[in-house]
Amino acid sequence: MNMYDLTFAGTALKALGSGALFWPAQSLLCVSDLHFGKSERIARRGGAQLPPYETRDTLTRLAADLDHTQARTVICLGDSFDDLSAARALSEEDRLWITRLQAGRHWVWIEGNHDPGPIEFGGSHLGELTEEQLVFRHIAQAGARGEISGHYHPKATLPTRGRAITRPAFLIDADRIIMPAYGTYTGGLRSHDNALTNLMRCDATAILTGPRPVQIPMPRGAI
């Protein structure tokens, strides 16, 4: 399985190439910004007609990560659904798939800015969650320590042999991890954006997702 080992806040974690974060000692898998139902929400609001397969694609990758890690706890770090109407519009097949993935697991939905209210799925629904020395929430807070968050969909660019590779990325420093978006069709914010450079320490690193996760200094300038 493609993953990158790291230590954060004294905790051994694994950044998966898919964009998930695994905490082996707690058998805990964390994913952020699934944005289930995005194509339905865009079409409902008069936008582009995207192929309506992103929920199934995201669920396929999530099922694979759960199969590989055998995680007993799953934390979804907010914006799991593109909005509440998108959650209600999911097909019965996709609803049953989510239910099957939840079976036998402690499943936590952290509230996000796209899905702030209760949603009609099983599991726990929380504003944030503290596990030992780590705090899981949707949006990073200034001054936080041991924080794992999402929201920004960070991407980082690695220059190589006359071209550049841009991938969703984990941003990591001594205080926080900002997770990449896990969902299909989610887009992203470049790591040199002020919203991210103002949050991350000067020595922050980025772990690019993909078949071979790569750690680099967090890029702070446009490439």
Side-chain angles (χ1 to χ4, degrees):
M1 189 175 187
N2 300 319
M3 59 182 64
Y4 191 96
D5 293 333
L6 66 136
T7 300
F8 172 70
T11 304
L13 304 172
K14 295 178 182 290
L16 277 56
S18 63
L21 188 68
F22 184 49
W23 184 357
Q26 294 293 326
S27 189
L28 186 156
L29 188 77
C30 179
V31 292
S32 187
D33 295 273
L34 300 168
H35 284 274
F36 290 140
K38 184 166 186 175
S39 60
E40 186 277 334
R41 193 267 301 172
I42 292 174
R44 177 174 14 103
R45 297 187 181 185
Q49 298 291 314
L50 298 173
Y53 307 125
E54 87 287 350
T55 295
R56 197 156 302 168
D57 183 73
T58 301
L59 284 171
T60 297
R61 290 184 287 108
L62 181 55
D65 282 342
L66 289 171
D67 183 58
H68 282 298
T69 62
Q70 292 296 300
R72 296 189 301 272
T73 297
V74 176
I75 298 178
C76 299
L77 275 185
D79 286 3
S80 299
F81 300 86
D82 214 49
D83 63 14
L84 292 179
S85 295
R88 299 184 183 111
L90 285 189
S91 70
E92 186 63 20
E93 182 180 356
D94 290 340
R95 286 175 171 270
L96 289 173
W97 197 347
I98 292 171
T99 299
R100 289 196 299 271
L101 293 180
Q102 290 178 311
R105 295 185 170 98
H106 179 213
W107 197 284
V108 180
W109 303 100
I110 300 294
E111 295 176 359
N113 56 295
H114 277 249
D115 51 7
I119 53 178
E120 299 166 2
F121 289 85
S124 301
H125 303 266
L126 303 173
E128 62 180 50
L129 174 67
T130 299
E131 287 286 344
E132 297 185 4
Q133 62 271 42
L134 302 183
V135 179
F136 297 86
R137 60 170 61 101
H138 182 57
I139 303 178
Q141 296 182 4
R145 299 289 186 272
E147 177 187 77
I148 299 176
S149 65
H151 179 64
Y152 290 102
H153 305 192
K155 288 187 173 184
T157 300
L158 174 66
T160 175
R161 297 183 180 179
R163 62 190 183 97
I165 298 173
T166 300
R167 294 178 183 168
F170 299 84
L171 302 184
I172 303 168
D173 65 17
D175 299 326
R176 61 174 46 88
I177 296 175
I178 299 181
M179 300 272 293
Y182 194 86
T184 306
Y185 294 166
T186 46
L189 187 67
R190 297 295 183 95
S191 62
H192 62 259
D193 189 278
N194 287 342
L196 293 170
T197 58
N198 290 339
L199 276 169
M200 306 302 296
R201 289 176 176 263
C202 294
D203 60 353
T205 62
I207 298 177
L208 279 66
T209 60
R212 296 181 63 185
V214 177
Q215 185 176 40
I216 61 173
M218 173 180 154
R220 292 178 176 267
I223 297 175

